[in-house]
Amino acid sequence: AALNAAEKPNIIYIMSDDMGYSDIGCYGSEIDTPNLNSLAEGGIRFTQFYNTGRCCPTRASLLTGLYPHQAGIGHMMNDRGYDGYRGELNRQCVTIPEVLGTAGYRNYMSGKWHVTKAVKPMTDADKHNWPLQRGFDRFYGTIHGAGSFFDPNTLTRDNTFISPFADPEYGPDQMANGEYYYTDAIADHAVRFIREHHFESGEQPFFLYVSFTAAHWPMHALEKDIKKYKGKYDEGYDSIRNGRYERMVDLGLIDRSNTSNWPLDENWKETQNWEWDKRNMEVYAAMVDNMDQGIGRIIQSLKDTGQFENTLICFFQDNGGCAENYGRGGQGKQRSSKPDRQPLSAEYLQPDMTPKQTRDGYTVRTGKGVMAGPADTAIGYGRAWATVSNTPFREYKHYTHEGGIATPLIAHWPNRIKEGGKLEETPSHLIDLMATAVDVASATYPEQYHDEQPIKPMEGTSLAPLFQNRPVKREALYWEHEGNAAMRWGKWKLVREYEKPWELFNISKDRTEMQNLAASHSEKKNEMIQMWTAWAKKNGVAFPKRFNMYQFLNQKKKTEQKQKK
């Protein structure tokens, strides 16, 4: 039976950015995440939940319940010449807020959007894929995908760009820590939406999408949070990783019989610059810690307004740990004793993903030896720490091995989930979160939308039965990103890196993808290749022979060089 408005749950989907499977406490980390841990204790932790391995495709899948190629975002925010890779949400899909809006929900978003090319729109028409134009009633966040935590680019309230230093609605008095820090700002605005909804629209249920940029590079954190982790990583990469592995076994997330840590290559470790790289992880941990603090404020706002019991909260991540070499090349310069550039005005709209300077006039620095944390630094934490983040799995963001696509999922809903602390092994995917929202909200997913255009049917399966120990049925799950591809069919996983042979793994016996069974189980491999190929053709996947990001970028670079000449 359809629920009336008072019975319908609020729904909050919280996503973090560029974090590995083991980066929060209840999934094995040494990082302090008491608020996420408490949600896990009162809810369900999924052990085989998946994203798409990269930021934009994940956001497209989450918002639409489709595979990213079906929504038009098989890669990033560039048009690659194929319908599955246009870099814009298409009009053959609907978003969660577009659907829930028809079921009486108010819809709010705080954080990173990153599903449109229109980061510098010239007209309002260019904003057709901005949050308010895709179903949200209110929005605070960034349209672009990455940037400074102290001075983010494309910062937007509703449909208008704003400067964090000239924002009459969010000044030091409203900031959790008295200074602008984007992770705090995302959480503070989520809290604001919850509280204002209660007093202004309390008779309606709400959907809130909280899209943190923590812990994506650059490694920026508040000094109070960094201090907490000083010395925490002195023991080195292997010791920290082994500690995580043992805690994961103790928690029941993995089993010693079918996992072992994917080898951490000695060449990935910083030896000459160990003090510097240790600092990078200290800052990374501080970023995760601060995000958890913000999640704590969100939880408290629900409790303060009497909405906690009937709110479904899901926490998950957009891809695995990031091994990109951002800001890590060469030796960096030390900070100058005084500003070396002209200060910027408070109203100035900072245009760059990596700012050239801070507001007070210091040049932004990269390179080894530049101690991460402050606004005048732009550093990533590198491949060795990404391997720690992805304990015990193989590969990283970009790839479709487990290290790229495995994510925590915590589901918490006191009114429906009674068996707190349960572990759920059913393989599931971001595409399921649209179906789950439609299910619990008693909404109707449309066959037509956007001026009566046909809408592609949902690909996912509602996870709500699992909340009450009932099974869900699905055939298989599929992936493709940059020619890296995979398929999960029951216990079997077919996977390959671009231009490398297909591998086959029995995940029930080998979750860490160590024993390639492609030769000994060739019939199973070939059957799955046929299934993957049929899925790819049906869903607009451009085959690697015709499409490869690296070829595209190299051609673009050559073209730009010719134009300069």
Side-chain angles (χ1 to χ4, degrees):
L3 301 174
N4 63 44
E7 295 172 317
K8 291 184 178 186
N10 304 312
I11 303 168
I12 302 180
Y13 287 167
I14 304 173
M15 181 158 65
S16 68
D17 201 345
D18 276 18
M19 284 173 54
Y21 188 80
S22 69
D23 272 334
I24 58 176
C26 52
Y27 278 77
S29 182
E30 69 293 330
I31 301 173
D32 194 20
T33 57
N35 296 296
L36 286 170
N37 297 353
S38 72
L39 292 178
E41 287 165 13
I44 297 171
R45 275 169 297 165
F46 285 66
T47 62
Q48 298 187 62
F49 191 76
Y50 292 108
N51 51 45
T52 74
R54 193 73 178 281
C55 44
C56 308
T58 280
R59 286 154 218 283
S61 269
L62 165 67
L63 283 165
T64 66
L66 303 175
Y67 285 108
H69 313 81
Q70 296 173 295
I73 304 181
H75 187 240
M76 296 287 279
M77 310 327 303
N78 302 89
D79 190 338
R80 308 300 196 194
Y82 299 99
D83 285 345
Y85 304 83
R86 296 295 180 191
E88 289 280 352
L89 281 184
N90 59 38
R91 284 297 188 263
Q92 290 75 54
C93 66
V94 286
T95 65
I96 293 173
E98 285 171 339
V99 177
L100 294 191
T102 67
Y105 277 69
R106 293 273 295 170
N107 297 284
Y108 308 99
M109 180 181 170
S110 185
K112 169 177 167 177
W113 183 235
H114 208 202
V115 287
T116 177
K117 297 191 291 282
V119 295
K120 296 179 181 177
M122 302 299 290
T123 68
D124 283 346
D126 295 332
K127 300 177 182 178
H128 63 279
N129 271 331
W130 277 31
L132 265 61
Q133 282 70 19
R134 293 306 301 246
F136 288 98
D137 296 293
R138 296 178 69 182
F139 169 65
Y140 175 91
T142 44
I143 303 300
H144 195 270
S148 169
F149 285 74
F150 296 105
D151 195 3
N153 66 327
T154 70
L155 187 64
T156 302
R157 177 171 285 110
D158 293 332
N159 271 331
T160 305
F161 285 137
I162 55 174
S163 164
F165 300 94
D167 182 0
E169 293 191 37
Y170 184 65
D173 290 347
Q174 291 91 32
M175 295 174 184
N177 291 291
E179 62 179 304
Y180 190 87
Y181 181 63
Y182 189 34
T183 305
D184 277 338
I186 292 170
D188 292 345
H189 280 81
V191 167
R192 176 179 292 185
F193 293 153
I194 290 167
R195 293 187 185 279
E196 291 180 0
H197 174 90
H198 175 68
F199 291 110
E200 296 170 7
S201 310
E203 74 286 353
Q204 290 179 266
F206 70 80
F207 169 65
L208 171 61
Y209 173 30
V210 186
S211 181
F212 286 106
T213 53
H216 194 294
W217 50 251
M219 302 294 99
H220 281 170
L222 299 172
E223 192 55 41
K224 72 172 182 68
D225 296 323
I226 300 172
K227 281 181 181 175
K228 184 173 175 180
Y229 292 92
K230 185 70 176 170
K232 188 80 171 179
Y233 297 95
D234 288 2
E235 294 176 5
Y237 312 99
D238 292 302
S239 177
I240 298 297
R241 191 160 179 248
N242 292 337
R244 288 191 178 194
Y245 181 88
E246 294 301 325
R247 282 191 294 276
M248 294 171 82
V249 170
D250 290 344
L251 289 166
L253 293 161
I254 59 174
D255 194 295
R256 215 183 296 277
S257 67
N258 66 359
T259 60
S260 57
N261 267 332
W262 181 254
L264 188 120
D265 195 306
E266 291 298 317
N267 294 325
W268 305 343
K269 300 176 183 179
E270 290 287 343
T271 51
Q272 290 181 316
N273 299 283
W274 165 239
E275 290 298 320
W276 167 73
D277 211 30
K278 182 178 68 172
R279 164 78 174 198
N280 291 329
M281 189 60 192
E282 291 170 356
V283 176
Y284 180 89
M287 296 168 79
V288 176
D289 188 308
N290 182 276
M291 178 188 69
D292 185 81
Q293 295 170 39
I295 292 169
R297 297 196 297 279
I298 292 169
I299 292 168
Q300 191 59 50
S301 70
L302 292 169
K303 291 179 177 178
D304 291 346
T305 53
Q307 299 177 98
F308 185 65
E309 299 295 317
N310 197 33
T311 297
L312 167 62
I313 301 173
C314 293
F315 171 85
F316 46 93
Q317 298 163 187
D318 69 342
N319 46 248
C322 175
E324 295 164 358
N325 209 40
Y326 175 86
R328 297 175 64 86
Q331 283 299 131
K333 296 179 180 178
Q334 295 307 304
R335 179 175 175 150
S336 57
S337 59
K338 58 183 180 180
D340 50 357
R341 292 172 178 251
Q342 287 294 318
L344 302 172
S345 70
E347 294 78 18
Y348 179 76
L349 295 177
Q350 202 283 110
D352 299 316
M353 181 177 73
T354 302
K356 295 177 178 63
Q357 68 171 86
T358 62
R359 290 277 167 160
D360 55 359
Y362 287 91
T363 296
V364 170
R365 297 167 294 127
T366 64
K368 298 185 191 318
V370 172
M371 292 300 187
D376 67 334
T377 66
I379 310 288
Y381 77 157
R383 190 171 185 179
W385 287 124
T387 306
V388 173
S389 283
N390 290 340
T391 303
F393 298 133
R394 174 181 175 183
E395 297 294 1
Y396 319 91
K397 172 185 177 179
H398 297 264
Y399 298 97
T400 53
H401 286 82
E402 295 290 286
I405 59 174
T407 167
L409 173 67
I410 301 168
H412 184 278
W413 183 9
N415 278 4
R416 284 280 288 276
I417 298 173
K418 305 298 186 183
E419 196 178 332
K422 180 188 170 207
L423 296 175
E424 176 56 65
E425 296 181 351
T426 302
S428 312
H429 189 285
L430 285 161
I431 54 174
D432 299 331
L433 293 179
M434 164 70 91
T436 304
V438 169
D439 183 3
V440 304
S442 296
T444 301
Y445 184 88
E447 294 182 5
Q448 294 181 323
Y449 203 84
H450 304 304
D451 299 324
E452 299 187 7
Q453 288 209 43
I455 298 300
K456 295 170 184 171
M458 287 184 287
E459 288 286 342
T461 301
S462 173
L463 302 179
L466 296 173
F467 300 165
Q468 297 181 314
N469 289 320
R470 300 200 312 272
V472 298
K473 292 181 181 179
R474 82 162 77 247
E475 184 191 29
L477 294 167
Y478 299 90
W479 291 264
E480 185 278 333
H481 183 68
E482 296 178 347
N484 305 309
M487 173 187 170
R488 182 74 195 269
W489 189 27
K491 67 184 181 181
W492 295 101
K493 184 177 176 187
L494 181 77
V495 61
R496 73 169 177 207
E497 291 182 40
Y498 175 68
E499 290 192 324
K500 292 185 179 178
W502 286 105
E503 299 174 300
L504 180 68
F505 300 100
N506 181 339
I507 293 295
S508 67
K509 295 181 178 178
D510 179 22
R511 181 79 197 276
T512 39
E513 300 169 306
M514 300 282 194
Q515 303 296 321
N516 181 8
L517 303 176
S520 59
H521 290 69
S522 59
E523 287 188 15
K524 177 65 67 176
K525 179 193 75 170
N526 291 334
E527 183 182 9
M528 292 179 73
I529 290 172
Q530 286 184 337
M531 291 174 69
W532 184 90
T533 303
W535 167 83
K537 286 181 177 177
K538 177 186 173 186
N539 292 296
V541 173
F543 287 81
K545 288 179 182 176
R546 296 175 11 220
F547 168 78
N548 171 19
M549 182 197 77
Y550 302 105
Q551 291 170 352
F552 175 89
L553 292 178
N554 288 336
Q555 187 59 48
K556 183 181 176 188
K557 193 173 181 181
K558 287 176 185 175
T559 303
E560 289 171 349
Q561 287 170 347
K562 282 182 183 178
Q563 289 171 346
K564 285 180 182 177
K565 290 176 181 176

